[in-house]
């Protein structure tokens, strides 16, 4: 947002420099980004000088071009080709020399036109950026001195422009008047010379005839609506002062009538809209809700479909404007406009915000309306605009200002207790200081006592409801830096739970990071269409956003895995095909009520997700093996073991097939709570994200994992004093026998002597019967009390082998 220092001084008489104004703004809560001295015209027309046309003749090969000789004060006259109809010998003109860069980044170069070389350009107003006229070149008075720089001749200066930002609750500062009012309060408090000047509209008088009537059919959407009719205006370029005001803050002048609307917007913060009165069919302005599916073509020439929640300004036939957001192309002011209708209104902020979001529009008007414009200033702003239109475009006001305002917005009345205010602030600043600040900010004192007061907050302060809100206003003007730090600090000590959830979460994150995973953070809002074909996370369990920013962000996520797939797709599209990522975040869903059928409640919990895909690059310490299912399974099981899981006791089941083509789900022992799920992402699901390579993913429920952590009781035992013994078995087994079954059976038989079982080879092929496979298993045995002898080892191995033979039909090879 931009603020013109010179424009600001139209309302605030002060000796502050631009930098001091910026410092004051920052002090009172309006954050300043930069203070810049900018040219009235970008580049300052460097290279453009006053010149004289000393000779002019027609071009022999053209019916409209002229060959001229131009004296720019540097010596020999220059040959210049000019197509302007009004060029003639003896004229003083503005001439752009070779190398000059004109507004619009147009560089003057030597050129050959119809066989004749041209060494510069004689300029028109619009080419110099000082007007809109392109009917011919700009002819100067005879007393203009040849060689004078255009910047000096046109008296182009520099102007200080302050770039600043406002918070959502400070829309009152989105105008020059709003900032002037705040700085005035700051200056008054500090006893600095200043004077605040509010634009005068006392010259507004009702004219003859009747103003175009207004019919407000949606008073909840338009609590206040005013209109003024002006006839006989002459639309054309704005005067220089008005154009310069708008250009100083980066606004492009359009025409005198439209420019007045924009001027008042940035002057007072009140959006206005000006209609071509002759385009109001039926002779009445109707403020209503749009019909569902109704069409309107806006000023950007885009046909838009309206919704029943949108407010429109319509005539008897069709909408003319999307209220508070964007005008329609058929009712806008053009050079043919003669009669205008000036709208000043206060619209419901919620309605405007909803319309702006659904239509994908963000305008200066909607920015202010959706944050809460000042309802008290709508009629005044209309009168201000009407007087300015008469000044710059002529015309006569028809009748009086028409207004719909059945229930005026009342000021919020707040009781103040000075002792409580000083306790809030942390310092006794004195009731006189409080009264000075609030009076300067337009608070009305209804009652005053030694201990407090009753005040009415101004209507422009949209977020002031309670005494603490008033304290905030007092503090920002008084200055937080002026509050002394207390000599003593007070704090409370809270007991830390054990185990501490945050410490465990950080430990998990550190574990994953140390194993090469990169942490990601995705939006909790996601695309509802993702869930249309999923059974594990059905679409009817999605938590929908009432007013979504877009269809891509219309529901809360039910799983972190889909966000992980978005990250994978994003990186693949940027030549990063190999990745290991993890995320910690919340997931959301609707849950059934006690009857088990209706979905009325909501559920939220947090999860960890792990996603792997691609082939890592081969390096000196890595063979670049392709990412696979078992790598992710290894990471997951290592993580679970580290935080208390006994993998032999976890219940397992198949992972959901709509998410995973193969995988496993783990349940917490003693409950039916799912601890984790992992597997190979279903290729059909990956394809929806544009991913062709295999992706492996896992999701861990944090509440269930933390429950496991709390169950885990760490015990310390002395390191064994006696050696372990290793034995291997090669077994021929049916394909249906799994390693997990063998492992469980071995531990059941081995009891306290068997320490570990591992699978180190699987073979299928030559000399192995069909339907069979060979497993090579390694067993580690150890007795904590003595050294095992061969007889004990052999006896234990025979027992384990016998178990395999009896339960699984295993054959020793």
């Amino acid at each position: 947002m931009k603020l013109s220092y010179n424009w600001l001084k139209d309302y605030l008489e002060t000796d502050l420099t631009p930098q001091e104004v910026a410092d004051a703004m920052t002090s009172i809560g309006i954050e300043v980004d930069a203070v810049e001295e900018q040219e009235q015209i970008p580049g300052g027309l460097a290279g453009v000088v006053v010149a004289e046309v000393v000779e002019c003749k027609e071009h022999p090969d053209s019916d409209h071009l002229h060959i001229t000789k131009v004296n720019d004060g540097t010596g020999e006259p220059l040959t210049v080709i000019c197509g302007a109809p009004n060029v003639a010998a003896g004229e003083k003109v503005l001439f752009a020399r070779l190398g000059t860069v004109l507004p619009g980044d147009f560089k003057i170069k030597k050129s050959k036109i119809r066989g004749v070389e041209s060494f510069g350009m004689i300029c028109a107003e619009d080419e110099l950026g000082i007007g809109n006229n392109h009917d011919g070149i700009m002819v100067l008075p005879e007393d203009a001195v040849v060689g004078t720089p255009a910047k000096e001749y046109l008296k182009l200066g520099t102007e200080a422009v302050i770039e600043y930002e406002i918070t959502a609750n400070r829309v009152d500062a989105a105008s020059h008047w709003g900032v002037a009012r705040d700085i005035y309060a700051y200056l008054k408090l500090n006893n600095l010379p200043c004077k605040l000047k509010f634009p005068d509209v006392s010259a507004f008088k009702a004219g003859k005839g009747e103003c175009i009537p207004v019919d407000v059919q949606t008073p909840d959407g338009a609590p206040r609506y005013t209109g003024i009719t002006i006839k006989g205006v002459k639309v054309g370029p704005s005067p220089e002062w008005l154009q310069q005001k708008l250009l100083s803050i980066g606004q492009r002048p359009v025409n005198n009538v439209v420019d007045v609307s924009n001027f008042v917007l940035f002057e007072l913060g009140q959006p206005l809209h000006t209609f071509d009165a002759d385009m109001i069919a039926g002779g009445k302005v109707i403020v209503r809700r749009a019909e569902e599916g109704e069409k309107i073509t806006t000023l950007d020439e885009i046909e838009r479909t309206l919704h029943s929640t949108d407010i429109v300004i319509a005539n008897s036939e069709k909408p003319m404007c999307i209220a508070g957001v964007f005008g329609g192309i058929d009712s806008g002011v053009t050079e043919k406009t003669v009669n205008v209708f000036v709208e000043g209104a206060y619209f419901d902020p919620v309605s405007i915000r909803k319309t702006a979001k659904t239509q994908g529009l963000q305008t200066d008007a909607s920015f202010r309306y959706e944050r809460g414009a000042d309802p008290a200033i709508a009629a005044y702003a209309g009168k201000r605009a009407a007087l300015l239109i008469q000044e710059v475009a002529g015309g006569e006001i028809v009748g009086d200002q028409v207004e719909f305002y059945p229930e005026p917005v009342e000021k919020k009345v707040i009781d103040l207790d000075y002792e409580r205010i000083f306790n809030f602030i942390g310092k006794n600043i004195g009731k006189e200081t409080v009264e000075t600040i609030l009076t300067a900010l337009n608070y009305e004192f209804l009652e005053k006592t030694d201990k407090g007061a009753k005040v009415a907050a101004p209507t422009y302060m949209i977020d002031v409801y309670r005494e603490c809100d008033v304290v905030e206003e007092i503090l920002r003007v008084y200055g937080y830096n002026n509050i002394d730090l207390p000599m003593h600090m007070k704090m409370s000590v809270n007991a830390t739970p054990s185990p501490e959830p945050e410490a465990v979460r950080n430990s998990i994150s550190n574990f994953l990071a140390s194993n090469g995973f990169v942490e990601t953070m995705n939006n909790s809002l996601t695309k509802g269409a993702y869930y249309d074909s999923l059974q594990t996370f059905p679409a009817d369990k999605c938590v929908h956003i009432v007013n979504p920013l877009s269809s891509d962000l219309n529901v809360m996520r039910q799983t972190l895995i889909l966000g992980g797939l978005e990250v994978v797709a994003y990186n693949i599209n940027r030549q990063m095909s190999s990745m290991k990522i993890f995320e910690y975040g919340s997931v959301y869903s609707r849950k059934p009520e006690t009857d088990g059928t209706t979905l009325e409640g909501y559920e939220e919990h947090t999860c960890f997700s792990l996603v792997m895909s691609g082939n890592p690059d081969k390096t000196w310490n890595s063979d670049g093996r392709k990412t696979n299912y078992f790598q992710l399974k290894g990471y997951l099981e290592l993580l679970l073991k580290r935080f208390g899981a006994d993998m032999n006791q976890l219940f397992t089941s198949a992972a959901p097939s709509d998410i995973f083509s193969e995988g496993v789900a783990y349940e917490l022992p003693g409950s039916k709570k799912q601890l984790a799920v992992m597997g190979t992402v279903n290729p059909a699901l990956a394809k929806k994200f544009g991913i062709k390579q295999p992706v492996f993913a896992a999701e861990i429920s944090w509440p269930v994992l933390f429950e496991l952590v709390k169950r885990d009781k760490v015990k310390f035992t002395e390191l064994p004093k006696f050696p372990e013994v290793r034995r291997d078995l090669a077994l021929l087994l049916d394909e249906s026998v799994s390693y997990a079954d063998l492992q469980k059976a071995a531990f059941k038989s081995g009891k306290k002597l068997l320490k570990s079982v591992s699978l180190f080879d699987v073979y299928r092929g030559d000399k192995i019967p069909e339907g069979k496979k060979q497993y090579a298993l390694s067993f580690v045995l150890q007795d904590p009390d003595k050294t095992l002898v061969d007889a004990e080892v052999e006896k234990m191995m025979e027992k384990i082998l016998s178990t395999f033979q009896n339960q699984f039909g295993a054959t020793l090879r």
Side-chain angles (χ1 to χ4, degrees), residues 61-104:
D61 295 329
S62 173
D63 58 357
H64 69 282
L65 296 177
H66 300 83
I67 301 174
T68 66
K69 295 287 186 179
V70 175
N71 173 23
D72 68 346
T74 58
E76 288 291 324
L78 301 170
T79 300
V80 179
I81 306 299
C82 181
N86 63 332
V87 63
E91 290 178 340
K92 298 289 181 68
V93 296
L94 288 176
F95 173 69
R97 293 168 172 161
L98 294 179
T100 300
V101 179
L102 296 178

Side-chain angles (χ1 to χ4, degrees), residues 672-783:
K672 294 184 179 180
K673 298 177 182 177
Q674 182 172 286
L675 171 61
V677 61
M678 62 83 56
T680 305
V681 175
N682 193 317
L685 178 60
K687 186 177 180 181
K688 292 181 180 180
F689 291 83
I691 303 172
K692 297 178 181 179
Q693 66 189 41
V695 181
F696 309 94
E699 188 167 80
I700 307 169
S701 173
W702 164 247
V704 180
L705 178 60
F706 190 64
E707 185 177 332
L708 183 67
V709 172
K710 289 191 290 184
R711 289 186 188 183
D712 186 34
K713 304 300 180 183
V714 179
K715 295 180 181 179
F716 297 91
T717 59
E718 188 179 3
L719 288 172
K721 298 177 181 178
F722 305 99
E724 62 184 29
V725 179
R726 186 181 300 273
R727 292 289 187 271
D728 298 336
L729 290 178
L731 302 173
L732 187 64
L733 299 157
D734 291 337
E735 282 284 3
S736 60
V737 179
S738 69
Y739 164 69
D741 295 334
L742 295 172
Q743 187 186 45
K744 288 180 181 179
F747 276 109
K748 188 174 182 181
S749 299
K751 297 183 179 178
K752 69 172 185 177
L753 293 183
L754 184 60
K755 296 303 178 184
S756 68
V757 181
S758 60
L759 175 67
F760 64 87
D761 186 47
V762 179
Y763 177 70
R764 298 177 180 87
D766 189 31
K767 298 181 181 180
I768 300 297
E770 187 176 350
K772 298 285 187 177
K773 59 185 176 183
Q774 176 184 294
Y775 273 2
L777 301 174
S778 179
F779 302 84
V780 176
L781 300 119
Q782 187 178 45
D783 191 319

